[in-house]
Amino acid sequence: MKRLLLAAALAAVAIPAAAQDSYPDRPITIVVPFAAGGPTDTVTRLIAEPMSAELGQQIVVQNTAGAGGTLAAGEVAVAAPDGYTVLMHHIGMSTAPGLYASLPYDPLVDFKTIGLVTEVPMTIVGRKDFEPNTLQELSDYVKANADAVTYANAGVGAASQLCGLLFMQAVGAKVTEVPYQGTGPALTDLVGGQVDFMCDQTTNTTEQIKAGAIKAYAITSPERNPALPDLPTTAEGGLPDLDVSIWHGLYVPKDTPDEIVQKLTAALKTALADPTVNERFAELGTTTVSDDLSTPEAHTERLSSQIELWKGVFESAGVQPQ
Ligand code: MLT
C-alpha cells in the first residue's frame, strides 16, 4: 500500500515537471487590470511582442477592468498556477492593501513575482479650455471651486486615484471624482471636455499634450522629462511633496513552478533589452527598469516596501479603507 501511495505521489510530481519542460506549449494570457488603450495596456502590449518571440508562443493581452485593478488581481490569484495566466499590475498592487478593508487576495502571499518592468512619471493635466494655466493656478482654482470641479480617475487602487488623493491633500481640497474602467477612456473624456482634470501616466498623456489636445500643468518627478522638456515639475509648480512614480511588474499565481517563473523572467529581460521597446517607451516619457530590477527578488522587495510605505501614508493622512 505504502509503495502504491509513493508511486502515486511521484507520478503527481512527474506530470507538472514534464509540463514545466515543455512550457509554453500553448498561448499565454497576460491580464491587464484596466481598460484597453490606457497606460497599463500600452506597456503590456509593447513588451508582449518580444516576450512572445523569446518564449516561442503567442501572448494574448486580456483587459479585465474593474474595482481599481483589484478585480483582475483577485482572478489571477486563483487561476491555474501553470504559467498560462500572468498578471500585469502597477503601484496599485501596493496601495490596495491600505485602501481596501478586505481584499480577496494578499499581494505578498498569493502571487509569485516575475520582475519589475517600468518606472513611469505622472502628469497633471486638464481639459484644454480649463481656466487654470499653471499648477499654482490649478491649486488655487480647485480650492476656490471644489464643489464644481470634476477629477477623472480609474477607481480606488488606481495610480490616477492615488495621484489625485495626493494632489487633494497637498492643496487641501476635495473635488468630485469620476471613476472610469481605466485612464484610456478617462483621457478620451478629458479630451472631449466632459471632465475637468486628472493625473495620469506619461505613457498615456505625452502624445495628447504634444498635440495640444489637453492642458498640462506638471510632471510628478523630481526632474523634467526629456519627452516633455517644457513641462515643469510639481516642485517647480509649488507642490514639492507630490512626487510619485508608477512602477509595473508581472505576477503569476503563488503555486506556479519556479522553472516557469524563470522562463518568464528571462523573456521579460529580453523584452526590456529590446531597442524598439526602449525607443517607444522614451517617446512616451517612460523608462524600462535596469537589469537588476527585472528579477523576482527585486520585485518582491519593491512590492513589500511600497505596501508599508503607502499604508503609512494613508494612515497618517486619515484615509479610511473602504
Ligand atoms: C490604466 O491603465 O488605465 C491606468 O494605469 C489606470 C490607473 O491606474 O490610473
Side-chain angles (χ1 to χ4, degrees):
M1 184 62 185
K2 259 189 194 161
R3 224 177 279 153
L4 267 180
L5 282 175
L6 183 64
L10 285 174
V13 172
I15 293 165
Q20 291 155 35
D21 290 345
S22 61
Y23 175 86
D25 59 9
R26 59 188 164 88
I28 296 166
T29 298
I30 301 187
V31 179
V32 169
F34 298 102
T40 317
D41 186 65
T42 298
V43 165
T44 308
R45 287 176 199 275
L46 280 168
I47 64 160
E49 206 179 306
M51 279 186 77
S52 156
E54 174 71 14
L55 290 162
Q57 267 300 333
Q58 193 194 348
I59 293 184
V60 178
V61 176
Q62 177 187 306
N63 300 86
T64 302
T70 62
L71 179 71
E75 285 186 11
V76 175
V78 294
D82 55 11
Y84 291 98
T85 307
V86 178
L87 174 71
M88 168 69 89
H89 210 330
H90 62 22
I91 195 168
M93 201 67 162
S94 67
T95 56
L99 293 169
Y100 285 89
S102 84
L103 272 182
Y105 56 88
D106 181 331
L108 286 168
V109 172
D110 293 322
F111 299 91
K112 276 187 181 168
T113 52
I114 302 297
L116 292 166
V117 180
T118 55
E119 307 278 1
V120 194
M122 301 195 84
T123 48
I124 302 175
V125 291
R127 60 180 160 81
K128 71 168 184 276
D129 53 356
F130 197 30
E131 277 106 316
N133 288 313
T134 63
L135 188 62
Q136 186 60 58
E137 284 179 23
L138 177 69
S139 306
D140 294 344
Y141 187 91
V142 162
K143 253 205 263 189
N145 302 282
D147 290 346
V149 172
T150 51
Y151 176 83
N153 68 29
V156 176
S160 46
Q161 186 253 350
L162 172 70
C163 187
L165 194 78
L166 300 174
F167 175 79
M168 305 311 165
Q169 273 171 8
V171 304
K174 175 103 190 74
V175 301
T176 302
E177 296 183 41
V178 184
Y180 289 79
Q181 297 284 68
T183 52
L187 188 64
T188 304
D189 271 10
L190 189 74
V191 171
Q194 276 91 36
V195 284
D196 292 328
F197 81 115
M198 65 189 282
C199 185
D200 194 16
Q201 296 158 67
T202 56
T203 339
N204 208 30
T205 57
T206 299
E207 288 180 343
Q208 299 288 11
I209 293 170
K210 284 184 161 168
I214 51 176
K215 201 176 261 189
Y217 297 108
I219 189 150
T220 66
S221 47
E223 308 293 335
R224 290 193 181 203
N225 191 290
L228 293 163
D230 297 333
L231 188 61
T233 64
T234 36
E236 287 177 77
L239 297 179
D241 295 336
L242 185 43
D243 171 2
V244 60
S245 170
I246 306 308
W247 49 274
H248 292 82
L250 292 174
Y251 303 80
V252 284
K254 71 171 188 303
D255 291 327
T256 307
D258 288 337
E259 291 79 352
I260 289 178
V261 169
Q262 282 157 17
K263 286 184 184 180
L264 287 167
T265 299
L268 172 63
K269 283 186 176 294
T270 301
L272 299 185
D274 185 305
T276 314
V277 168
N278 281 283
E279 211 172 288
R280 186 67 187 134
F281 274 18
E283 282 168 4
L284 297 175
T286 307
T287 46
T288 51
V289 297
S290 55
D291 195 52
D292 55 325
L293 294 180
S294 54
T295 62
E297 297 73 26
H299 185 177
T300 300
E301 158 58 28
R302 173 76 63 96
L303 177 64
S304 113
S305 62
Q306 288 264 298
I307 289 173
E308 284 312 305
L309 171 86
W310 292 114
K311 267 193 183 156
V313 169
F314 299 147
E315 269 165 27
S316 53
V319 175
Q320 295 297 327
Q322 64 172 44

